[in-house]
Amino acid sequence: MVSLVLSPYSRPLRSLGPNPKNFPHWEEVVDTLLSRFNLVVKQEVYLYKGQPSSDRVHSKVQVLPFTSVHQLVSPILESTCWASVDNFLPHLCNLIKADPGVVVFSKSDPSIFGYHYNKNLHSLAPRFRPDQFNLWEQCQYDDAAFPLVQSVVDAITDIIQARRNRLST
């Protein structure tokens, strides 16, 4: 069974506006991957005061609730692949020495915030913000800042196929 741990959102902004890091096309990515693989997708959802911090990106995604990052370690290490926006998950995966995954960037520069061994994706014409260390509250959401859906699907597919090949030899 192929499994994907998905961290599709960054933390909500204090202004409650859309977070510029949140890739808006996860449902389409999951649909395409489900058509290619016998896949179980587990979406991390932080529980804050007993309530989920975000919605599921797709009806066929299993929710992986957590109140501590320690609860995510086993699912990540046992997964075939993990994918995330630019949030805490790539840093956790680096810390626990998980296999490389896919990170979707928008306005953050992956040469600063990414790990070279992950598949760090951004738009074809990068729209990185000029002050990489400023608050996200001061950054406008821009759908054009994200990579193409097909790029995300291809990157996840490449990792899944490579891991399947490695396990079968």
Side-chain angles (χ1 to χ4, degrees):
M1 176 66 67
V2 176
S3 65
L4 170 69
V5 171
L6 183 62
S7 183
Y9 303 115
S10 199
R11 71 174 185 84
L13 299 178
R14 290 179 294 233
S15 67
L16 302 178
N19 191 311
K21 295 181 175 187
N22 291 348
F23 181 61
H25 306 290
W26 286 114
E27 184 173 14
E28 189 177 343
V29 169
V30 171
D31 270 338
T32 305
L33 292 170
L34 289 172
S35 72
R36 292 184 182 182
F37 300 103
N38 182 15
L39 180 69
V40 173
V41 182
K42 299 176 181 179
Q43 177 186 335
E44 63 79 8
V45 174
Y46 179 70
L47 295 179
Y48 178 72
K49 296 184 179 179
Q51 297 299 314
S53 59
S54 58
D55 296 326
R56 286 192 301 175
V57 295
H58 192 284
S59 63
K60 294 185 179 176
V61 167
Q62 296 177 10
V63 172
L64 188 61
F66 75 100
T67 54
S68 164
V69 294
H70 299 288
Q71 295 169 300
L72 295 175
V73 172
S74 290
I76 291 167
L77 293 175
E78 294 166 1
S79 70
T80 310
C81 183
W82 60 268
S84 175
V85 296
D86 172 28
N87 62 15
F88 78 97
L89 195 76
H91 304 292
L92 174 63
C93 290
N94 177 64
L95 179 70
I96 65 173
K97 298 186 180 359
D99 286 333
V102 175
V103 185
V104 175
F105 285 87
S106 60
K107 302 229 177 172
S108 301
D109 186 342
S111 68
I112 298 171
F113 299 105
Y115 296 94
H116 66 89
Y117 43 78
N118 290 327
K119 290 191 179 237
N120 297 314
L121 307 176
H122 53 76
S123 67
L124 296 174
R127 296 170 182 243
F128 302 142
R129 61 191 189 148
D131 184 353
Q132 287 289 301
F133 299 97
N134 212 341
L135 298 175
W136 282 100
E137 300 284 340
Q138 300 165 347
C139 187
Q140 293 295 314
Y141 186 89
D142 180 5
D143 191 35
F146 292 99
L148 300 172
V149 169
Q150 192 60 49
S151 298
V152 178
V153 169
D154 290 346
I156 294 170
T157 297
D158 289 348
I159 288 177
I160 289 172
Q161 289 175 335
R163 298 239 171 91
R164 289 166 109 188
N165 292 341
R166 187 179 71 193
L167 294 174
S168 66
T169 58

